[in-house]
Amino acid sequence: MLVPQPRPGNGPLPESVTHRAPVVVTISSGRIRGEHDGRVEVFRGIPYAAAPTGSHRFRPPARAATWSGVRDARAYGPAAPQNPDPVLEQMFGLPPSAHDETSCLTVNVWTPQSGSGRRPVLVWIHGGGFLTGAGSDPVFDGGRLVQQHDVVLVTVNYRLGAFGFLHLAEVLGHRYASSGNTGLLDQRAALAWVRDNIATFGGDPRNVTLFGQSAGAFSVVAHLASPGSAGLFHKAIVQSGSGEGAATVDRAGEVTRAFLDELGIAPRAAADLLTRPTADLLRAQETVTRAWQARGDGVGLAFLPLVDGTVLPRTPVDAIGAGAARGVPLLLGSNRDEGRMFTVLGPGSVGDLPEDALVAVFAAHHADPGRALDAYRSVQADASPAGLLGALIGERLFGGPTRRLAEAQAAGGGAVWRYRFDWSSSAHGGRLGACHSLELPFVFDNLDVAGVDRFTGPRPPQELADVMSRCWAGFARTGDPGLWPAYEPEGRHVMLFDRVTAVAKDPDRTLRLLGP
């Protein structure tokens, strides 16, 4: 996720779009009115599930209510409940997304023409650490991607944080057995909505590509491993994700106890969570999140998909290695300097790090920290302590897991293509490099969206956006991105996306040989 939505909620349309031609279609819940925005048809804020409040809080999504008449679908729905994201505020100086628990479960659809054709469908799961984000963020606007490549794009809102990933089975019983994966079940319900309705928008329900970035990519991998999601999509794209970032029941139970303690609720009175105001839960979520981040273990996230034995029978990378995604072509990759997002921006940014502190951090992850530091120094353009810390973060959270996931898919008999995004931002004095999330405006071909240049720097290369968006759309169409060979453990071919794109063989060999 890059920027929050500029016009949240379902308020009146601005004057600049009121003249746009209306488009009315019929879906399973009733008739909706979208618009032709001068490029493509757009339908926003379409409910795919019932309000996740009252008896539905922390429970699987229920079917959306039907309506009579024509429902307006020209304004985005609100985001799922979330706290402000300080990184986004620092990057763009924009206010947080407006959110509302009652009406957050919506999708947005961009299509060249409704009711015509059977186009490839891309379904986008946004990132944000399972805590923030929305399918309405401007960088995800599908107009250019859809217009240029004749595809249909769907973006999804889903429950976040405690609302989507708080494990309550042990305190509220079997009716909440799936509460630790409610956010994943929301995404699955959105995929079912696509299956049932996308032909109305000119999409092919038999050719659906699920793609996402960061937490959205973790989600895509979870669906690849989840038996209940099988058949709802046919290809997958994983941008800066992992098949290793899933919680155990013990870990999730620890988060739940901390959450209840923060609210002053005894486990025997956990039913109070069902009626507590949204704001109370968000305050507790913020405290628990900060405490978990301070621990620094794993991916540092308190709320994650849960290996519960049902929605997720096992850790996703293990399931995929055993063939769970054999029939789903997979395109995946990471950014060369993922970790610089976290060392340069936000409250966790670092400046000068003492050498002994750097050695201690590396010792927590490598038995021989001196050897590891030498290896990182040999491949890093920025070998300062902050640069090396960023490199370690990026490799632990995204680079290594991406490589291991590619190898698991190949071992499981599935087709897989791997890329690395290497183009460096000139923003923030060039310190961001090719950091986490930087590929997003290139994939969506939205380099001209307001605020993006504060992240990319001025004049980012349009040619790179042309190449990446074409590869993503081509993969959605045929299951092959073109331009480079499939990944296999012998050759380890990786496409490097930069101002000049090139295929490299085993480009991260030095770090790979250090081991996990």
Side-chain angles (χ1 to χ4, degrees):
M1 184 184 71
L2 286 177
V3 293
Q5 56 196 35
R7 180 169 51 83
N10 288 307
L13 294 167
E15 291 182 2
S16 61
V17 299
T18 55
H19 68 281
R20 297 177 177 182
V23 183
V24 177
V25 300
T26 301
I27 60 174
S28 55
S29 298
R31 301 174 73 202
I32 57 173
R33 179 186 295 107
E35 63 185 3
H36 195 289
D37 70 356
R39 298 176 299 177
V40 297
E41 295 176 11
V42 189
F43 302 83
R44 302 178 178 93
I46 308 168
Y48 67 83
T53 53
S55 62
H56 295 303
R57 182 183 268 183
F58 304 122
R59 299 194 65 206
R63 188 177 181 86
T66 59
W67 55 80
S68 59
V70 180
R71 182 186 181 101
D72 189 68
R74 293 176 294 171
Y76 290 120
Q82 56 191 268
N83 290 304
D85 187 331
V87 173
L88 292 181
E89 292 185 51
Q90 179 182 352
M91 288 166 63
F92 298 99
L94 296 175
S97 297
H99 58 82
D100 178 64
E101 186 181 2
T102 301
S103 52
C104 64
L105 298 185
T106 60
V107 294
N108 313 296
V109 181
W110 289 261
T111 178
Q113 185 178 2
S114 57
S116 169
R118 286 292 182 268
R119 299 173 180 86
V121 180
L122 292 113
V123 179
W124 175 252
I125 308 296
H126 70 78
F130 295 105
L131 295 170
T132 62
S136 53
D137 287 349
V139 78
F140 308 146
D141 181 284
R144 190 170 290 124
L145 183 67
V146 164
Q147 181 185 40
Q148 293 294 322
H149 302 290
D150 196 35
V151 297
V152 176
L153 174 69
V154 180
T155 66
V156 178
N157 284 357
Y158 57 98
R159 279 174 281 183
L160 302 166
F163 299 88
F165 299 95
L166 184 66
H167 177 52
L168 295 171
E170 295 172 5
V171 292
L172 289 180
H174 71 277
R175 294 179 69 233
Y176 295 85
S178 61
S179 58
N181 284 314
T182 304
L184 290 183
L185 295 181
D186 289 345
Q187 297 165 8
R188 184 186 292 173
L191 285 167
W193 183 94
V194 168
R195 177 198 61 201
D196 297 340
N197 292 282
I198 207 64
T200 296
F201 300 93
D204 185 352
R206 297 165 300 180
N207 189 10
V208 175
T209 297
L210 184 63
F211 73 135
Q213 183 263 349
S214 196
F218 281 56
S219 299
V220 173
V221 178
H223 289 294
L224 286 168
S226 180
S229 299
L232 291 174
F233 61 101
H234 313 94
K235 306 175 187 71
I237 302 175
V238 173
Q239 300 171 214
S240 303
S242 172
E244 302 160 21
T248 64
V249 169
D250 287 345
R251 179 190 187 278
E254 186 178 353
V255 171
T256 300
R257 289 188 292 275
F259 193 80
L260 291 172
D261 287 347
E262 183 61 28
L263 288 167
I265 298 175
R268 65 178 180 279
D272 288 353
L273 290 172
L274 306 180
T275 56
R276 280 293 184 97
T278 302
D280 288 358
L281 301 190
L282 286 176
R283 281 193 290 270
Q285 177 179 299
E286 180 70 8
T287 301
V288 171
T289 295
R290 290 186 182 279
W292 209 269
Q293 289 171 340
R295 289 172 53 151
D297 61 328
V299 294
L301 299 176
F303 301 97
L304 285 167
L306 172 65
V307 179
D308 60 0
T310 304
V311 178
L312 275 183
R314 59 197 298 193
T315 302
V317 69
D318 294 335
I320 290 167
R326 182 179 296 116
V328 183
L330 175 61
L331 170 61
L332 82 169
S334 58
N335 296 359
R336 186 191 60 209
D337 306 312
E338 294 272 6
R340 294 197 197 178
M341 165 70 83
F342 310 103
T343 60
V344 173
L345 299 176
S349 60
V350 299
D352 293 329
L353 191 70
E355 181 72 14
D356 57 345
L358 182 66
V359 171
V361 171
F362 269 76
H365 299 284
H366 292 281
D368 186 344
R371 174 173 173 262
L373 275 165
D374 287 342
Y376 276 82
R377 286 191 176 103
S378 72
V379 297
Q380 289 302 309
D382 177 6
S384 69
L388 292 169
L389 177 61
L392 178 67
I393 292 170
E395 171 67 10
R396 301 297 296 183
L397 294 185
F398 305 109
T402 291
R403 180 172 60 249
R404 291 188 288 274
L405 181 58
E407 292 171 354
Q409 173 72 342
V416 55
W417 286 260
R418 188 174 160 213
Y419 74 88
R420 193 177 76 194
F421 185 82
D422 280 13
W423 183 81
S424 293
S425 168
S426 61
H428 297 273
R431 292 180 297 140
L432 288 173
C435 72
H436 190 62
S437 299
L438 187 61
E439 87 286 2
L440 290 176
F442 293 88
V443 167
F444 284 88
D445 195 3
N446 279 332
L447 296 178
D448 57 353
V449 165
V452 164
D453 61 349
R454 297 183 59 174
F455 190 42
T456 63
R459 297 179 298 279
Q462 178 60 46
E463 317 82 65
L464 182 54
D466 294 340
V467 169
M468 293 190 72
S469 62
R470 183 170 68 248
C471 287
W472 264 236
F475 181 80
R477 192 174 303 280
T478 68
D480 185 335
L483 299 186
W484 77 100
Y487 182 89
E488 37 75 29
E490 289 74 32
R492 295 189 168 92
H493 292 99
V494 180
M495 171 59 84
L496 307 182
F497 286 110
D498 204 339
R499 194 171 291 273
V500 176
T501 59
V503 181
K505 185 175 181 179
D506 201 8
D508 50 358
R509 180 176 184 273
T510 298
L511 299 186
R512 175 173 64 81
L513 293 178
L514 284 176

